[in-house]
Short mmCIF file of all heavy atoms in Angstrom, two decimals:
data_model
loop_
_atom_site.label_atom_id
_atom_site.label_comp_id
_atom_site.label_asym_id
_atom_site.label_seq_id
_atom_site.Cartn_x
_atom_site.Cartn_y
_atom_site.Cartn_z
N SER J 204 33.11 69.86 95.45
CA SER J 204 32.10 69.98 94.41
C SER J 204 32.08 68.71 93.56
O SER J 204 33.00 67.90 93.62
CB SER J 204 32.33 71.22 93.53
OG SER J 204 33.55 71.10 92.83
N PHE J 205 31.03 68.56 92.76
CA PHE J 205 30.90 67.36 91.92
C PHE J 205 30.07 67.68 90.68
O PHE J 205 29.33 68.69 90.65
CB PHE J 205 30.23 66.22 92.71
CG PHE J 205 28.79 66.52 93.06
CD1 PHE J 205 27.76 66.06 92.27
CD2 PHE J 205 28.48 67.28 94.19
CE1 PHE J 205 26.43 66.32 92.60
CE2 PHE J 205 27.16 67.56 94.54
CZ PHE J 205 26.13 67.09 93.72
N GLN J 206 30.18 66.84 89.67
CA GLN J 206 29.36 66.94 88.48
C GLN J 206 29.15 65.54 87.94
O GLN J 206 30.09 64.83 87.60
CB GLN J 206 30.04 67.82 87.43
CG GLN J 206 29.26 67.95 86.14
CD GLN J 206 27.82 68.40 86.33
OE1 GLN J 206 26.90 67.62 86.32
NE2 GLN J 206 27.69 69.73 86.54
N SER J 207 27.87 65.13 87.88
CA SER J 207 27.54 63.77 87.44
C SER J 207 27.22 63.71 85.93
O SER J 207 27.11 62.61 85.38
CB SER J 207 26.34 63.25 88.24
OG SER J 207 25.22 64.11 88.12
N GLN J 208 27.09 64.86 85.29
CA GLN J 208 26.71 64.88 83.87
C GLN J 208 27.92 65.23 83.00
O GLN J 208 28.93 65.75 83.45
CB GLN J 208 25.59 65.92 83.65
CG GLN J 208 24.36 65.71 84.48
CD GLN J 208 23.66 64.40 84.16
OE1 GLN J 208 23.58 63.99 82.98
NE2 GLN J 208 23.17 63.71 85.18
N ARG J 209 27.76 64.94 81.73
CA ARG J 209 28.80 65.35 80.74
C ARG J 209 28.47 66.74 80.22
O ARG J 209 27.34 67.22 80.31
CB ARG J 209 28.78 64.35 79.58
CG ARG J 209 29.17 62.91 79.95
CD ARG J 209 29.04 62.02 78.73
NE ARG J 209 29.93 62.45 77.65
CZ ARG J 209 31.13 61.94 77.43
NH1 ARG J 209 31.60 60.99 78.22
NH2 ARG J 209 31.87 62.38 76.43
N SER J 210 29.47 67.37 79.64
CA SER J 210 29.30 68.59 78.85
C SER J 210 28.69 69.75 79.61
O SER J 210 27.93 70.54 79.04
CB SER J 210 28.41 68.29 77.61
OG SER J 210 28.90 67.15 76.92
N GLU J 211 29.01 69.90 80.91
CA GLU J 211 28.49 71.00 81.72
C GLU J 211 29.53 72.09 81.88
O GLU J 211 30.73 71.85 81.71
CB GLU J 211 28.01 70.50 83.08
CG GLU J 211 26.84 69.56 83.04
CD GLU J 211 25.55 70.26 82.58
OE1 GLU J 211 25.55 71.49 82.44
OE2 GLU J 211 24.52 69.55 82.39
N THR J 212 29.07 73.31 82.21
CA THR J 212 29.97 74.44 82.44
C THR J 212 30.06 74.83 83.89
O THR J 212 30.51 75.92 84.21
CB THR J 212 29.47 75.64 81.62
OG1 THR J 212 28.14 75.97 82.02
CG2 THR J 212 29.49 75.33 80.13
N PHE J 213 29.64 73.95 84.78
CA PHE J 213 29.67 74.25 86.22
C PHE J 213 29.73 72.91 86.99
O PHE J 213 29.51 71.86 86.45
CB PHE J 213 28.43 75.03 86.63
CG PHE J 213 27.16 74.24 86.47
CD1 PHE J 213 26.62 73.52 87.54
CD2 PHE J 213 26.51 74.17 85.23
CE1 PHE J 213 25.47 72.80 87.39
CE2 PHE J 213 25.35 73.43 85.08
CZ PHE J 213 24.83 72.74 86.16
N CYS J 214 29.99 73.04 88.31
CA CYS J 214 29.92 71.89 89.22
C CYS J 214 29.01 72.23 90.39
O CYS J 214 28.90 73.42 90.75
CB CYS J 214 31.33 71.55 89.74
SG CYS J 214 32.45 70.91 88.47
N PHE J 215 28.38 71.26 90.97
CA PHE J 215 27.55 71.45 92.16
C PHE J 215 28.43 71.39 93.42
O PHE J 215 29.32 70.56 93.53
CB PHE J 215 26.49 70.36 92.28
CG PHE J 215 25.50 70.35 91.17
CD1 PHE J 215 25.63 69.47 90.10
CD2 PHE J 215 24.43 71.24 91.17
CE1 PHE J 215 24.71 69.44 89.05
CE2 PHE J 215 23.51 71.24 90.11
CZ PHE J 215 23.64 70.35 89.07
N ARG J 216 28.13 72.27 94.37
CA ARG J 216 28.86 72.22 95.65
C ARG J 216 28.23 71.17 96.56
O ARG J 216 27.04 70.98 96.56
CB ARG J 216 28.84 73.57 96.34
CG ARG J 216 29.70 74.62 95.64
CD ARG J 216 30.10 75.72 96.62
NE ARG J 216 30.89 75.21 97.72
CZ ARG J 216 32.20 74.91 97.65
NH1 ARG J 216 32.85 75.07 96.50
NH2 ARG J 216 32.83 74.48 98.69
N CYS J 217 29.08 70.49 97.34
CA CYS J 217 28.55 69.54 98.33
C CYS J 217 27.70 70.27 99.35
O CYS J 217 28.03 71.42 99.74
CB CYS J 217 29.70 68.82 99.04
SG CYS J 217 30.62 67.68 97.98
N PRO J 218 26.62 69.70 99.82
CA PRO J 218 25.75 70.38 100.78
C PRO J 218 26.34 70.44 102.18
O PRO J 218 27.19 69.63 102.57
CB PRO J 218 24.49 69.49 100.79
CG PRO J 218 25.00 68.13 100.42
CD PRO J 218 26.11 68.37 99.46
N GLY J 219 25.89 71.44 102.98
CA GLY J 219 26.25 71.54 104.39
C GLY J 219 27.73 71.61 104.62
O GLY J 219 28.46 72.35 103.97
N ASN J 220 28.19 70.81 105.59
CA ASN J 220 29.61 70.78 105.95
C ASN J 220 30.41 69.75 105.19
O ASN J 220 31.56 69.43 105.51
CB ASN J 220 29.76 70.44 107.46
CG ASN J 220 29.19 71.50 108.35
OD1 ASN J 220 29.54 72.66 108.22
ND2 ASN J 220 28.27 71.14 109.24
N LYS J 221 29.83 69.18 104.16
CA LYS J 221 30.48 68.10 103.45
C LYS J 221 31.49 68.60 102.42
O LYS J 221 31.39 69.72 101.93
CB LYS J 221 29.45 67.20 102.76
CG LYS J 221 28.52 66.48 103.75
CD LYS J 221 27.58 65.51 103.05
CE LYS J 221 26.76 64.74 104.07
NZ LYS J 221 25.87 63.76 103.44
N THR J 222 32.43 67.71 102.10
CA THR J 222 33.41 67.99 101.06
C THR J 222 33.76 66.69 100.37
O THR J 222 33.18 65.63 100.67
CB THR J 222 34.68 68.64 101.66
OG1 THR J 222 35.54 69.08 100.60
CG2 THR J 222 35.45 67.67 102.51
N THR J 223 34.66 66.74 99.39
CA THR J 223 35.10 65.52 98.71
C THR J 223 36.57 65.24 99.06
O THR J 223 37.29 66.14 99.48
CB THR J 223 34.98 65.68 97.17
OG1 THR J 223 35.74 66.81 96.75
CG2 THR J 223 33.52 65.88 96.79
N LEU J 224 36.97 64.01 98.87
CA LEU J 224 38.34 63.63 99.21
C LEU J 224 39.34 64.11 98.18
O LEU J 224 40.56 64.22 98.46
CB LEU J 224 38.44 62.10 99.37
CG LEU J 224 37.60 61.48 100.47
CD1 LEU J 224 37.79 59.99 100.52
CD2 LEU J 224 37.96 62.10 101.83
N TYR J 225 38.85 64.38 96.95
CA TYR J 225 39.76 64.78 95.89
C TYR J 225 38.97 65.55 94.84
O TYR J 225 37.74 65.67 94.89
CB TYR J 225 40.42 63.54 95.23
CG TYR J 225 39.42 62.43 94.99
CD1 TYR J 225 38.56 62.45 93.89
CD2 TYR J 225 39.34 61.34 95.85
CE1 TYR J 225 37.63 61.45 93.70
CE2 TYR J 225 38.41 60.33 95.66
CZ TYR J 225 37.57 60.37 94.58
OH TYR J 225 36.65 59.38 94.37
N SER J 226 39.65 66.16 93.89
CA SER J 226 38.99 66.90 92.81
C SER J 226 38.49 65.91 91.76
O SER J 226 38.89 64.74 91.74
CB SER J 226 39.94 67.90 92.17
OG SER J 226 41.05 67.23 91.59
N GLY J 227 37.59 66.36 90.91
CA GLY J 227 37.07 65.52 89.83
C GLY J 227 36.03 64.53 90.29
O GLY J 227 35.85 63.47 89.68
N THR J 228 35.29 64.84 91.37
CA THR J 228 34.28 63.96 91.91
C THR J 228 33.04 63.94 91.02
O THR J 228 32.61 64.99 90.51
CB THR J 228 33.87 64.40 93.34
OG1 THR J 228 35.02 64.29 94.16
CG2 THR J 228 32.79 63.50 93.89
N ARG J 229 32.48 62.75 90.84
CA ARG J 229 31.39 62.59 89.88
C ARG J 229 29.99 62.49 90.49
O ARG J 229 29.01 62.53 89.76
CB ARG J 229 31.64 61.34 89.03
CG ARG J 229 32.91 61.36 88.25
CD ARG J 229 33.07 60.11 87.41
NE ARG J 229 34.29 60.12 86.62
CZ ARG J 229 34.56 59.23 85.69
NH1 ARG J 229 33.72 58.25 85.43
NH2 ARG J 229 35.70 59.32 85.00
N ASP J 230 29.90 62.29 91.81
CA ASP J 230 28.59 61.99 92.35
C ASP J 230 28.41 62.58 93.76
O ASP J 230 29.38 62.66 94.51
CB ASP J 230 28.37 60.48 92.39
CG ASP J 230 26.94 60.11 92.68
OD1 ASP J 230 26.14 60.15 91.74
OD2 ASP J 230 26.64 59.77 93.84
N LEU J 231 27.18 62.95 94.08
CA LEU J 231 26.84 63.50 95.40
C LEU J 231 27.21 62.55 96.50
O LEU J 231 27.63 62.96 97.60
CB LEU J 231 25.35 63.84 95.45
CG LEU J 231 24.79 64.25 96.82
CD1 LEU J 231 25.43 65.53 97.29
CD2 LEU J 231 23.26 64.43 96.72
N SER J 232 27.10 61.25 96.27
CA SER J 232 27.38 60.25 97.30
C SER J 232 28.83 60.28 97.75
O SER J 232 29.17 59.73 98.81
CB SER J 232 27.02 58.84 96.79
OG SER J 232 27.86 58.47 95.70
N GLN J 233 29.71 60.90 96.95
CA GLN J 233 31.11 60.99 97.32
C GLN J 233 31.45 62.23 98.17
O GLN J 233 32.60 62.44 98.53
CB GLN J 233 31.96 61.00 96.05
CG GLN J 233 31.89 59.70 95.30
CD GLN J 233 32.68 59.75 93.99
OE1 GLN J 233 32.25 60.37 93.01
NE2 GLN J 233 33.86 59.13 93.98
N CYS J 234 30.42 63.03 98.50
CA CYS J 234 30.60 64.13 99.39
C CYS J 234 30.66 63.60 100.84
O CYS J 234 29.75 62.85 101.24
CB CYS J 234 29.48 65.14 99.27
SG CYS J 234 29.45 66.05 97.69
N ARG J 235 31.69 63.93 101.57
CA ARG J 235 31.90 63.38 102.91
C ARG J 235 31.70 64.43 104.00
O ARG J 235 32.01 65.60 103.83
CB ARG J 235 33.32 62.81 103.02
CG ARG J 235 33.68 61.81 101.90
CD ARG J 235 32.73 60.64 101.88
NE ARG J 235 33.05 59.70 100.83
CZ ARG J 235 33.90 58.68 100.95
NH1 ARG J 235 34.52 58.50 102.09
NH2 ARG J 235 34.12 57.85 99.92
N GLU J 236 31.24 63.95 105.12
CA GLU J 236 30.99 64.84 106.28
C GLU J 236 32.29 65.33 106.90
O GLU J 236 33.23 64.58 107.04
CB GLU J 236 30.19 64.08 107.33
CG GLU J 236 29.81 64.92 108.55
CD GLU J 236 28.92 66.10 108.18
OE1 GLU J 236 27.81 65.88 107.67
OE2 GLU J 236 29.36 67.24 108.40
N THR J 237 32.37 66.62 107.22
CA THR J 237 33.55 67.17 107.85
C THR J 237 33.28 67.67 109.26
O THR J 237 34.20 68.02 110.00
CB THR J 237 34.10 68.34 107.03
OG1 THR J 237 33.12 69.40 106.96
CG2 THR J 237 34.48 67.92 105.62
N LYS J 238 32.02 67.71 109.65
CA LYS J 238 31.69 68.22 110.98
C LYS J 238 32.24 67.25 112.03
O LYS J 238 32.09 66.04 111.94
CB LYS J 238 30.15 68.31 111.14
CG LYS J 238 29.72 68.94 112.46
CD LYS J 238 28.22 69.05 112.53
CE LYS J 238 27.80 69.68 113.84
NZ LYS J 238 26.31 69.80 113.95
N CYS J 239 32.89 67.80 113.03
CA CYS J 239 33.48 66.96 114.06
C CYS J 239 33.72 67.79 115.32
O CYS J 239 33.63 69.01 115.30
CB CYS J 239 34.78 66.34 113.57
SG CYS J 239 36.02 67.55 113.07
N GLY J 240 34.04 67.09 116.43
CA GLY J 240 34.33 67.78 117.66
C GLY J 240 33.07 68.00 118.52
O GLY J 240 31.96 67.63 118.14
N GLY J 241 33.27 68.58 119.72
CA GLY J 241 32.16 68.88 120.59
C GLY J 241 32.51 68.60 122.04
O GLY J 241 33.57 68.07 122.37
#
């Protein structure tokens, strides 16, 4: 999840299969793809 604004009471979840490398992410661009295999 991430939050780009100050003073909020929630965080946005990364879309689809994406996640972040660590907690405290500030921007959607830091959401990384996790889909793999096939």
